[in-house]
Amino acid sequence: MGLVVQKYGGSSVADAEGIKRVAKRIVEAKKNGHQVVAVVSAMGDTTDELIDLAEQVSPIPAGRELDMLLTAGERISMALLAMAIKNLGHNAQSFTGSQAGVITDSVHNKARIIDVTPGRIKTSVDEGNIAIVAGFQGVSQDSKDITTLGRGGSDTTAVALAAALDAEVCEIYTDVDGVFTADPRVVSRARKIDWIAFEDMLELAASGSKVLLHRCVEYARRYNIPIHVRSSFSGLQGTWVSSAPRKQGDKQVEQALISGVAHDTSEAKVTVVGVPDKPGEAASIFRTIANAEINIDMVVQNVSAASTGLTDISFTLPKTEGRRAIDALEKNKGTIGFDSLRYDDQIGKISLVGAGMKTNPGVTADFFTALSDAGVNIELISTSEIRISVVTRKDDVPEAVRAVHSAFGLDSDSDEAVIYGGTGR
Ligand code: ASP
Ligand code: MG
């Protein structure tokens, strides 16, 4: 039996009871003959509370100090979990990200892992211990300062450690039973997916599905680490995310034509009105946005009215970057050349994802029909080989997601989706 990396999210370790329950689960895996490395998030909403606190003492907290503060959240849960395991009669040692060898670049609040040197973890498990590692944190190679990996970063810690330790599997324990065909908080008839390919999971994550972060799936695909997403509250099999379908019992799992429907209400839309329809205009708009280090999502340009020679260009971006994008464009209004800017944060995005789209011609038509039957107006459209996304009014999103989910036959016969904990934030 090999080594397994298990990751427990904030809602799984929200209180002392939760920590004791997780400790039992970890000990079970150990008793089954595995070497176990457990990665933990901060308890419950600790990270949000620490951010609130920081903002009370400083409107824009210094990145270095914010990282120092936030990493304390994971240190609390790792130490408590190690104590709970010892109380069950097993040896456990906790390690910070830095001690575990998680080496990052020096970008505070959203550092990237550049190397993992898990020597101490290896030694600890070889000596028979259960190793507990604080998720979401590392140490900068250059500045030697403590860094964090961005919200939800513990999943990435777990996958990175699994790759560096050559683990059999990375188990991600969360507050739902796996990856669903839609967010069970919106679609009660959402169905649990038994297996999903890395590619489809990447598209779902990029489209707003919150079960797994995009960066974590990307990492798992690069190192070909199978992820098993499952609940720490139930003993059920969850969702396997891997490169090839796996057998479950004696039944071969097939690739679904449509994997699921994702939605995202965290974006806003900027429209640049009255742009001269000539070469170089789009380039200068998006150069301005890029120079402000802002990532954009969808882009559309309208046909220009022949009489004016002017066109409108719309794009979407994270709401959190909206203010900065508008400021950057206003500042360069003279050089870019446009009439005005419009900002709209009442939008939502709905995406249908599935490898079957490549070969099934009717999917786009069925998607638009489902939206029109639900009376939902489409504002922007974008596609990839295995995804169609539309932007609609934010208020239309829940209805639109349910309509598309039903239209593609994804509804389960019962309300099987259980949400065991957490606030979903
Ligand atoms: N505690 C951090 C957060 O809430 C990291 C994580 O949960 O993965 O974002
Ligand atoms: Mg968390």
Side-chain angles (χ1 to χ4, degrees):
M1 291 246 193
L3 185 147
V4 296
V5 173
Q6 303 187 328
K7 180 259 169 178
Y8 293 92
S11 49
S12 300
V13 292
D15 50 21
E17 280 318 304
I19 289 174
K20 289 199 266 185
R21 194 189 61 241
V22 164
K24 273 198 205 129
R25 264 211 112 102
I26 294 174
V27 165
E28 250 166 62
K30 174 82 178 156
K31 280 191 189 151
N32 286 337
H34 288 104
Q35 289 191 321
V36 188
V37 175
V39 174
V40 278
S41 293
M43 296 170 69
D45 290 331
T46 301
T47 308
D48 293 288
E49 286 156 15
L50 291 173
I51 292 173
D52 289 349
L53 194 57
E55 286 171 352
Q56 284 174 44
V57 297
S58 163
I60 306 169
R64 179 186 185 279
E65 304 313 324
L66 189 60
D67 278 353
M68 212 51 139
L69 178 71
L70 296 188
T71 51
E74 270 71 13
R75 287 179 76 140
I76 294 171
S77 37
M78 75 176 189
L80 289 170
L81 185 54
M83 292 173 198
I85 291 172
K86 287 200 176 213
N87 189 50
L88 297 175
H90 290 258
N91 288 329
Q93 288 184 323
S94 64
F95 298 90
T96 64
S98 161
Q99 290 174 322
V102 180
I103 318 279
T104 71
D105 61 19
S106 47
V107 183
H108 283 295
N109 312 149
K110 49 177 178 191
R112 273 186 175 271
I113 297 176
I114 51 184
D115 196 13
V116 182
T117 52
R120 290 191 70 179
I121 304 300
K122 189 97 194 58
T123 309
S124 179
V125 293
D126 284 347
E127 285 170 354
N129 296 302
I130 292 164
I132 314 292
V133 178
F136 166 64
Q137 54 181 271
V139 59
S140 157
Q141 190 167 49
D142 301 332
S143 65
K144 309 288 182 238
D145 281 332
I146 297 299
T147 53
T148 61
L149 308 177
R151 297 307 308 271
S154 300
D155 290 5
T156 313
T157 304
V159 171
L161 272 172
L165 291 163
D166 202 16
E168 239 168 51
V169 57
C170 181
E171 295 185 324
I172 306 254
Y173 285 91
T174 181
D175 51 13
V176 286
D177 281 317
V179 181
F180 283 78
T181 47
D183 183 346
R185 290 177 167 91
V186 174
V187 183
S188 59
R189 288 280 167 92
R191 202 187 305 155
K192 190 180 78 195
I193 300 170
D194 291 330
W195 169 75
I196 182 169
F198 283 131
E199 283 65 31
D200 286 39
M201 194 63 235
L202 277 172
E203 289 279 4
L204 283 176
S207 307
S209 158
K210 288 180 200 67
V211 213
L212 285 178
L213 280 191
H214 191 265
R215 208 187 261 191
C216 147
V217 185
E218 221 173 32
Y219 213 104
R221 179 174 63 167
R222 185 161 358 119
Y223 294 96
N224 201 18
I225 299 293
I227 300 178
H228 186 187
V229 185
R230 55 195 308 193
S231 165
S232 66
F233 297 81
S234 80
L236 300 173
Q237 276 283 312
T239 302
W240 283 85
V241 188
S242 61
S243 52
R246 10 181 332 120
K247 279 211 159 136
Q248 291 206 336
D250 46 7
K251 95 171 185 258
Q252 179 69 38
V253 179
E254 298 283 330
Q255 166 100 308
L257 286 182
I258 298 297
S259 288
V261 187
H263 71 275
D264 189 355
T265 51
S266 69
E267 294 190 342
K269 179 172 79 172
V270 173
T271 303
V272 189
V273 181
V275 182
D277 196 359
K278 62 176 189 352
E281 280 301 315
S284 72
I285 289 172
F286 292 108
R287 177 60 56 206
T288 303
I289 298 297
N291 287 344
E293 306 250 347
I294 296 170
N295 278 318
I296 55 153
D297 182 15
M298 296 186 183
V299 180
V300 280
Q301 173 173 342
N302 295 329
V303 278
S304 62
S307 55
T308 60
L310 297 177
T311 181
D312 297 344
I313 293 180
S314 297
F315 61 92
T316 62
L317 77 180
K319 262 181 217 168
T320 47
E321 307 281 25
R323 187 70 263 158
R324 292 199 310 115
I326 296 289
D327 288 348
L329 288 169
E330 283 294 357
K331 225 168 64 203
N332 293 295
K333 187 172 179 184
T335 35
I336 302 170
F338 58 85
D339 286 343
S340 59
L341 294 174
R342 257 188 261 138
Y343 183 71
D344 179 357
D345 61 6
Q346 293 302 307
I347 61 160
K349 183 172 77 170
I350 297 125
S351 305
L352 183 72
V353 172
M357 258 175 230
K358 283 190 227 173
T359 44
N360 280 36
V363 172
T364 308
D366 292 346
F367 182 61
F368 292 153
T369 305
L371 291 171
S372 98
D373 289 349
V376 173
N377 188 42
I378 299 169
E379 300 181 16
L380 302 179
I381 302 169
S382 87
T383 61
S384 82
E385 255 199 323
I386 62 167
R387 174 186 52 80
I388 321 171
S389 304
V390 295
V391 165
T392 65
R393 286 295 88 202
K394 187 177 169 192
D395 292 343
D396 286 340
V397 166
E399 190 48 44
V401 172
R402 285 190 283 269
V404 171
H405 195 266
S406 299
F408 282 89
L410 297 173
D411 289 352
S412 81
D413 304 330
S414 61
D415 288 4
E416 67 168 330
V418 184
I419 296 151
Y420 297 94
T423 52
R425 81 167 177 178

